[in-house]
């Protein structure tokens, strides 16, 4: 029983390491995408090696990189795929939908407007006086 639990833990650790390595390698490749596929994938391979992984697939389409990394831990060798690039960019090969770009005009209400939300009055977490403490507890002074 202990061996099964240990093996499962080893597989989970390997999968997480592969995911982290793929994420970092994809970010590094995307950062270097304008220098060309070979330069971007070379940087991705160096980053993956630093994480104890190897890149098994690396493609760059425009500014978007797609990296698959593998980590070997014991008998396990899980792969993980990660894609990185600027927000709202679709790869030139059309392999994925564009991601929405956050809009500042939608995230905050106009200046001076609460956007229909009534914000509670901010008070210190600790009452400053005994009367304030009684008021918060609903006691009659």
């Amino acid at each position: 029983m202990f061996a099964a639990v240990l093996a499962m833990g080893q597989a989970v650790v390997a999968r997480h390491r592969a995911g982290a390595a793929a994420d970092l390698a994809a970010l590094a490749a995307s950062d270097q995408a304008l220098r060309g596929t070979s330069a971007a994938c070379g940087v991705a391979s160096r980053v993956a090696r630093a994480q104890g992984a190897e890149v098994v697939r690396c493609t760059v389409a425009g500014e978007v990189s797609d990296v698959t990394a593998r980590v070997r831990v014991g008998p396990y060798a899980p792969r993980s795929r990660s894609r990185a690039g600027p927000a709202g960019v679709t790869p030139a090969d059309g392999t994925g939908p564009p991601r929405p770009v956050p809009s500042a005009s939608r995230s905050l209400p106009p200046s001076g407007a609460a956007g229909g939300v009534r914000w509670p009055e901010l008070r210190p977490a600790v009452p400053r006086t005994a009367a304030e403490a009684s008021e918060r507890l609903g006691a009659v002074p």
Side-chain angles (χ1 to χ4, degrees):
M1 178 69 175
F2 178 72
V5 172
L6 185 62
M8 181 180 261
Q10 203 173 26
V12 169
V13 166
R15 168 62 185 92
H16 284 278
R17 285 182 51 200
D23 288 345
L24 290 171
L27 287 169
S30 181
D31 185 52
Q32 300 295 315
L34 297 178
R35 294 180 57 210
T37 300
S38 61
C41 290
V43 170
S45 292
R46 286 194 300 275
V47 168
R49 272 196 309 275
Q51 299 297 314
E54 65 177 319
V55 171
V56 294
R57 181 176 166 270
C58 178
T59 60
V60 177
E63 296 178 70
V64 178
S65 65
D66 192 340
V67 175
T68 302
R70 177 175 53 206
V71 172
R72 292 188 186 276
V73 176
Y76 308 104
R79 294 177 179 205
S80 182
R81 179 180 173 206
S82 186
R83 182 182 295 184
V89 174
T90 301
D93 63 0
T95 58
R99 291 169 286 197
V101 177
S103 170
S105 63
R106 288 186 298 169
S107 61
L108 297 173
S111 179
V117 176
R118 183 155 192 253
W119 298 101
E121 178 186 340
L122 297 177
R123 307 187 280 191
V126 179
R128 290 176 280 191
T129 64
E132 189 177 330
S134 294
E135 177 186 322
R136 287 190 187 182
L137 293 173
V140 179

